[in-house]
Amino acid sequence: MQKTVFEYDLTLEPGFDLTWQATPAERFAMLGLLRRLQPKLSLEIGTYMGGSLQALARHSERVISIDIDATVAERLKGRFSNVEFRSGDSRTLIPQVVDEINAGAEELSFVFIDGDHSRDGVQRDIENLLKLVPRTLLVFIMHDSFNPGCRLGIESAGWDKSPYVQAVEIDFVPGIFHRYAVSTTTPRSMWGGFACAMLTPEKRNGPLKIQKSQLHAHNAVKRVSIHGWQNKWRRGLLRLERLMRAGKG
Ligand SMILES: C[S@@+](CC[C@H](N)C(=O)[O-])C[C@H]1O[C@@H](n2cnc3c(N)ncnc32)[C@H](O)[C@@H]1O
């Protein structure tokens, strides 16, 4: 059977064989940013199968990768010579890593946030990371900015509390609509997308505006998705109807 364009390895570099939960646009964007930034140090929240980590490890001198699942570090042991795995909840690990980086001399230039996907979890991870004091241009990429819960977490974070944040774009790479269930996703759900924040060692002068360049596209898709309030109501009514029918039977 003929392969689709997506089934070819166009978005992967030679040797990338770990499952990477990202769209082709996200992969190109991350690889492009890494080539441009050439990080001395990168930090990842959410290792999973090591898909994004293989890109970070290839293009950074050193990487710290955090995951709550201790089997991740076990599975990927020996795979990367420049990666330090930290196992545990980002809620406690990020503050420790931020203190270490701020107290040390290494230049952190790339942070990939892809761990806890709940609204509060995303917001908490970002706010803990905003305690970083940049020594060079520092880029944060937040995955799943198209998912309404993650998006709210990103939008609600206290970005302006860090004087080093110069710009935030929620729709740096727009996400996707899953018409049908794919892997762990539900039909008609919204996932993917990269939000991007830029921090510099210089302090910002003036107020910070959070840009959402694809807000209207996001809202249009949300209306027909399972995240739309009309659909939440409809699902609730159907559930009630089923319960009432079961009660009668
Ligand atoms: C979507 S996956 C990461 C995918 C990976 N970055 C990639 O691109 O292929 C999310 C990962 O975050 C981890 N995770 C979830 N909540 C976490 C938390 N509170 N602290 C640390 N890791 C967490 C999960 O165990 C899972 O491996």
Side-chain angles (χ1 to χ4, degrees):
M1 203 163 65
Q2 187 190 328
K3 285 206 279 188
T4 68
V5 168
F6 294 131
E7 286 163 337
Y8 286 90
D9 288 347
L10 293 174
T11 61
L12 302 175
E13 291 183 358
F16 283 8
D17 56 357
L18 297 171
T19 302
W20 187 356
Q21 287 198 317
T23 67
E26 291 163 2
R27 292 174 186 190
F28 282 126
M30 184 184 281
L31 287 166
L33 277 171
L34 289 170
R35 281 192 199 107
R36 164 109 186 243
L37 294 169
Q38 301 189 351
K40 292 204 165 61
L41 177 65
S42 292
L43 172 62
E44 174 177 64
I45 320 299
T47 322
Y48 190 47
M49 308 292 273
S52 44
L53 183 58
Q54 64 198 343
L56 293 170
R58 170 91 45 104
H59 294 282
S60 312
E61 276 179 27
R62 197 168 90 82
V63 186
I64 299 174
S65 188
I66 291 175
D67 204 292
I68 198 164
D69 177 358
T71 65
V72 165
E74 220 16 71
R75 211 176 331 110
L76 296 172
K77 202 165 143 192
R79 172 85 201 213
F80 304 103
S81 57
N82 60 343
V83 174
E84 184 188 334
F85 292 102
R86 304 264 179 121
S87 301
D89 195 335
S90 57
R91 178 192 305 258
T92 47
L93 291 187
I94 292 177
Q96 288 170 16
V97 171
V98 166
D99 284 350
E100 283 169 35
I101 294 173
N102 282 344
E106 272 182 301
E107 286 184 356
L108 175 75
S109 35
F110 195 78
V111 176
F112 186 47
I113 306 172
D114 194 18
D116 184 341
H117 280 58
S118 68
R119 178 205 161 152
D120 291 350
V122 171
Q123 181 177 344
R124 183 200 57 228
D125 283 356
I126 294 170
E127 289 181 345
N128 283 332
L129 287 160
L130 283 174
K131 297 191 179 116
L132 283 162
V133 180
R135 294 196 178 87
T136 184
L137 172 63
L138 171 58
V139 172
F140 284 13
I141 292 292
M142 289 130 287
H143 199 199
D144 294 311
S145 52
F146 207 55
N147 174 266
C150 295
R151 193 176 181 93
L152 257 180
I154 300 168
E155 287 173 357
S156 317
W159 290 102
D160 55 359
K161 296 215 179 79
S162 164
Y164 307 107
V165 178
Q166 304 294 348
V168 180
E169 167 60 65
I170 305 289
D171 298 303
F172 181 59
V173 177
I176 50 168
F177 176 60
H178 289 285
R179 175 68 188 86
Y180 304 104
V182 185
S183 172
T184 50
T185 64
T186 326
R188 299 195 2 264
S189 59
M190 296 163 75
W191 287 103
F194 275 178
C196 176
M198 267 184 61
L199 290 80
T200 61
E202 300 76 39
K203 292 191 178 169
R204 180 177 66 247
N205 47 40
L208 179 69
K209 184 170 178 340
I210 311 295
Q211 309 286 338
K212 300 171 205 173
S213 60
Q214 291 302 310
L215 175 66
H216 298 290
H218 175 268
N219 288 347
V221 178
K222 189 174 164 189
R223 274 195 289 278
V224 296
S225 77
I226 51 160
H227 312 285
W229 66 267
Q230 300 97 323
N231 294 322
K232 281 190 182 150
W233 269 99
R234 199 173 302 142
R235 278 202 311 282
L237 286 173
L238 284 172
R239 210 172 299 136
L240 195 67
E241 203 180 283
R242 267 200 307 273
L243 283 173
M244 285 170 70
R245 256 197 248 124
K248 273 187 198 159

